[in-house]
Amino acid sequence: MSPGPARGRTGRATGADGGPRRGPVRRWQLVRAGSDAVPPSTRRFMARARQRRMRAALPWAVLAGVLVLVALVAWTVLGSGLFGVREVRVEGARLVTPVEVRDAAAVPDGVPLARVDLAATARRIGALPPVQRATVRRDWPDTLVVTVVERTGVAAVPRDDRFVVLDASGVVFRELPRAPQGLPLVRLATPGPDDPGTRAALQVLAVLTPQLRAVLVEVGVEGLARIGLRLRDGRTVVWGDATRSEDKARVATALLGRKADTIDVSAPDVVTFR
């Protein structure tokens, strides 16, 4: 019987030279299986799973993109000077200058156009006495357009050595060194929209016939019941108060051909002459 391999003192097998006996060395390597190794049903399942994940993620990706775009546009329009105010264009102004309108608007240069409060700007411009109303709009990318409607004068009131102009509401909006042509004079103590005498005089002026208006020089208001007209030929029409002014205007027009220094229509049903 042939002797087995020699063993050392530790009990391990030893080779012929007395050293430890070495076995074969195993080396492991991970090899990815080819696509042919995956069953078709599994491949189809994995493809459908990927598609489901992509479909689920797509709305969120689109939403994120939209939010980023909106934030960028909002910053560009509201926060940057790219669309800032560079010009204030004034339309319809004759009694006020563009400089006065721009000063009243008080919109700083470069402020983002989208942040301008149009209503507040229009109110500031409308506070100018000659301005009846104003509208403000944006003209992108950098212009504010102000459209002004100015007051129309209907009468002038002597005040010291100057003349103030009233509109149909009694608002004093101009002051001139001489009487304006084409406007009748109204003699009032305290002209203004809250003055009863002013309102009475304007009520009379509003109903005068073209024939009376053509020969009218001035309206005198000594009291609410003491209104009179002075005509171009020096005659006087006693009007009384402002009630029944349409009837008084019609009667006074019909009597313009009468020879009289004074025509009293304060009671239009009973006219007197002097």
Side-chain angles (χ1 to χ4, degrees), residues 6 21 26 35 52 94 104 114 140 148 158-159 179 182 187 196 207 218 225 247 257 262 273:
R21 185 177 180 179
R26 298 181 180 273
S35 59
R52 285 194 296 269
R94 295 181 300 106
W140 297 96
V148 172
R159 178 182 287 176
R187 296 195 177 274
V207 300
E218 71 176 34
D247 294 336
T262 302
F273 301 92

Side-chain angles (χ1 to χ4, degrees), residues 21 35 41 48 86 105 125 162 176 244 252 260:
R21 185 177 180 179
S35 59
S41 60
R48 287 195 295 269
R86 300 287 181 270
I125 297 170
R162 300 178 69 82
L176 302 173
R244 300 186 62 186

Side-chain angles (χ1 to χ4, degrees), residues 155-237:
V157 179
R159 178 182 287 176
D160 298 331
D161 57 347
R162 300 178 69 82
F163 296 84
V164 296
V165 180
L166 306 178
D167 72 351
S169 300
V171 175
V172 176
F173 66 94
R174 293 185 74 186
E175 185 172 321
L176 302 173
R178 60 183 61 89
Q181 294 183 351
L183 294 183
L185 296 181
V186 178
R187 296 195 177 274
L188 293 164
T190 56
D194 299 326
D195 174 48
T198 300
R199 293 197 298 267
L202 294 176
Q203 184 177 344
V204 171
L205 283 174
V207 300
L208 293 183
T209 62
Q211 295 88 338
L212 271 177
R213 189 176 290 275
V215 297
L216 177 67
V217 174
E218 71 176 34
V219 177
V221 182
E222 298 180 8
L224 293 180
R226 299 174 64 190
I227 301 173
L229 311 184
R230 185 165 67 86
L231 306 184
R232 188 172 298 164
D233 56 7
R235 290 189 294 175
T236 301
V237 177

